[in-house]
Amino acid sequence: MTTYGRIGLACVIGASACAPRASTTAVGAPPSSILINARLEQSSIASNRLTAEEERSGWRLLFDGKTFDGWRGLGYDSVPTAHWTIENGMIRKIPDSQVPRQADGQPAVGGDLMTRETFRDFELTWEWKISRAGNSGVKYNVSEEISMAAAPNHAALGFEYQLLDDSLHEDNKVPSHRAGALYDLIAPNATKRLKPVGEWNTSTLVFRGNHGEHWLNGTKVVEFDLGTPVMDSLVAHSKYRSIQNFAQRRAGHIVLQDHVDEVFFRNIKIRVM
């Protein structure tokens, strides 16, 4: 992704947003530590299944481990399978170097992978591992209409939970582009613990009302509130500043990003609140 030079301003203006807050109310309440620990422990035992506790709490799978049921390409009626595949219970973003070529030598058409449903207030959790020097993301609050109007290459426009190899990818130079960040808006805080390339990370996203949280491996690393002077200023100084209604709260799609590099996803689960 393009590197932007306004991070210093973002960190000054967004100090309160970048720092973690204690949050115990229903709105924006952090995920249960018991559930987080259960997910971390269960992931090594069985993938793409719900625990009895998750079922009782209203969770459901967004990926069954076998099919793309419930998913399609952004701007398509089906999945761009030249860029996305399912392997051993995982969704795999095929690296662009391995994407099939058309007769003219151009890569086969691709694009971001999007849920058919839209979600407004929810908690989302998933596991991911990324390739060496890899870059990807999970986007939310996505309007397909806005995305297709502004990005005809089938790339979603929405808030992005950044996935990155912090050790090698050049985006590591920009704090708000590192793993766990609210991309180009808020950097993850100092409590972040990222697993090495090749190991599974567990991420959780809470989005309810105007409140959002990013969690990584059991720790809250980003927190924000839409419609505040801090957030409005961060958006105004970001790559999104020229996109009309970008930060408007909506029932949006959840999107896995098609961004050149190989990345794997599993245990994608959601609870509507």
Side-chain angles (χ1 to χ4, degrees), residues 20-31:
R21 294 186 297 167
S23 181
T24 58
T25 60
V27 175

Side-chain angles (χ1 to χ4, degrees), residues 4 9 26 31 36 40 47 51 57 66 71 74 92 108 133-134 153 168 182 192 213 215 218-219 222 228 243:
Y4 294 83
L9 178 60
I36 288 176
L40 292 172
S47 296
T51 65
S57 299
K66 300 175 183 178
W71 297 83
L74 188 145
R92 177 190 178 217
N153 60 339
L168 291 176
L182 177 58
K192 184 181 86 173
E213 299 174 6
W215 292 67
T219 301
V222 164
T228 60
I243 303 172

Side-chain angles (χ1 to χ4, degrees), residues 202-268:
T202 298
S203 290
T204 299
L205 164 66
V206 178
F207 201 40
R208 185 173 186 180
N210 287 327
H211 184 77
E213 299 174 6
H214 289 187
W215 292 67
L216 178 62
N217 294 322
T219 301
K220 181 165 59 178
V221 296
V222 164
E223 188 169 15
F224 64 92
D225 291 284
L226 300 178
T228 60
V230 167
M231 196 64 186
D232 290 346
S233 181
L234 291 173
V235 173
H237 290 88
S238 74
K239 64 177 286 185
Y240 309 114
R241 60 187 176 275
S242 63
I243 303 172
Q244 189 175 6
N245 298 323
F246 170 80
Q248 178 180 323
R249 190 68 168 85
R250 62 178 60 85
H253 299 276
I254 293 167
V255 172
L256 309 183
Q257 188 181 37
D258 179 355
H259 193 273
V260 180
D261 302 311
E262 183 178 50
V263 60
F264 296 88
F265 300 90
R266 70 181 185 187
N267 287 331
I268 309 172

Side-chain angles (χ1 to χ4, degrees), residues 1 124 126 128 135-140 158-164 176-184 186 188 192-194 201-206 213-222 224 240 255-257 265:
M1 297 179 179
L124 177 75
W126 71 97
W128 59 277
N135 182 343
S136 188
V138 172
K139 299 184 181 183
Y140 55 103
F159 299 125
E160 179 179 349
Y161 185 118
Q162 173 78 320
L163 310 180
L164 197 80
S176 66
H177 291 190
R178 296 172 188 160
L182 177 58
Y183 178 77
D184 209 50
I186 302 174
K192 184 181 86 173
R193 297 293 180 267
L194 181 66
N201 291 279
T202 298
S203 290
T204 299
L205 164 66
V206 178
E213 299 174 6
H214 289 187
W215 292 67
L216 178 62
N217 294 322
T219 301
K220 181 165 59 178
V221 296
V222 164
F224 64 92
Y240 309 114
V255 172
L256 309 183
Q257 188 181 37
F265 300 90

